[in-house]
């Protein structure tokens, strides 16, 4: 669990900047890809799936939309740690549907800011998403540590 929290902390600086650059630089085709990835998460949630692969694809599409290939390479290097719930599937105290809807609302805010070219809002939305994710996993770590 500590490694998951460390990676979320590391990602925060990188992905906040990526969201801002995506809002600033994304081509219409890149924005469409971001939206398509977001929609794929929603479809997975509606099917009762966890949407982990689709979530990773969304974060990679945002990285691609920066126009700087190093952002996506960074996420790919981190691999399974990019989406923490992939690492700690099935943890106690995480109602799947409610949790999925929570992070999807956070994604919606990021995607909307990128769509409208709102650089500061994209950064703020990504910051909220990653900080909230870190808090969720810190709470989970506490529950897992309690006998």
């Amino acid at each position: 669990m500590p490694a998951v929290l460390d990676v979320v902390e590391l990602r925060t600086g990188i992905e906040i900047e990526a969201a801002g650059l995506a809002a600033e630089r994304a081509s219409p085709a890149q924005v469409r890809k971001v939206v398509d990835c977001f929609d794929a998460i929603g479809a997975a949630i509606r099917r009762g799936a966890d949407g982990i692969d689709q979530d990773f694809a969304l974060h990679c599409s945002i990285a691609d939309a920066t126009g700087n290939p190093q952002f996506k390479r960074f996420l790919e290097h981190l691999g399974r740690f990019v989406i923490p719930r992939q690492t700690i599937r099935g943890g106690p105290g995480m109602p799947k549907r409610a949790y999925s809807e929570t992070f999807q609302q956070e994604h919606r805010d990021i995607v909307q800011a990128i769509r409208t070219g709102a650089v500061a809002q994209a950064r703020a939305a990504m910051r909220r998403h990653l900080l909230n994710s870190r808090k969720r996993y810190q709470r989970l770590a506490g529950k897992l540590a309690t006998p």
Side-chain angles (χ1 to χ4, degrees), residues 1-2 31 37 43-44 64 66 77-78 84 88 91 95 104 108 113 117 120 127-129 131-133 135 137-138 140:
M1 185 69 71
V31 170
C37 289
D64 275 339
T66 68
H77 173 73
L78 294 175
I88 55 174
Q104 189 64 344
R108 182 176 291 108
R127 178 186 315 278
R128 271 190 311 278
H129 173 51
L131 292 177
N132 287 342
S133 291
K135 288 175 189 173
Y137 290 105
Q138 285 172 325
L140 178 59

Side-chain angles (χ1 to χ4, degrees), residues 18-141:
L21 291 173
E24 183 180 333
R25 299 177 178 171
S27 69
Q30 289 169 322
V31 170
R32 182 76 243 154
K33 178 69 173 175
V34 169
V35 171
D36 289 347
C37 289
F38 170 77
D39 290 343
I41 298 169
I45 292 169
R46 286 189 296 280
R47 288 191 313 272
D50 55 26
I52 289 170
D53 292 337
Q54 295 84 356
D55 194 338
F56 183 67
L58 173 65
H59 284 267
C60 286
S61 71
I62 293 168
D64 275 339
T66 68
N68 178 338
Q70 299 305 323
F71 281 96
K72 185 174 180 187
R73 285 187 189 123
F74 173 77
L75 293 181
E76 289 171 339
H77 173 73
L78 294 175
R80 69 184 179 93
F81 286 106
V82 171
I83 310 300
R85 63 197 152 93
Q86 176 171 303
T87 306
I88 55 174
R89 276 182 221 244
M94 294 181 74
K96 186 176 174 180
R97 182 70 179 217
Y99 177 74
S100 297
E101 290 171 1
T102 297
F103 76 74
Q104 189 64 344
Q105 179 57 52
E106 293 170 0
H107 287 153
R108 182 176 291 108
D109 295 343
I110 297 164
V111 170
Q112 184 58 31
I114 290 170
R115 263 181 134 163
T116 60
V119 174
Q121 290 88 339
R123 286 185 177 122
M126 183 64 81
R127 178 186 315 278
R128 271 190 311 278
H129 173 51
L130 294 173
L131 292 177
N132 287 342
S133 291
R134 189 161 188 252
K135 288 175 189 173
R136 285 188 286 267
Y137 290 105
Q138 285 172 325
R139 283 193 302 270
L140 178 59

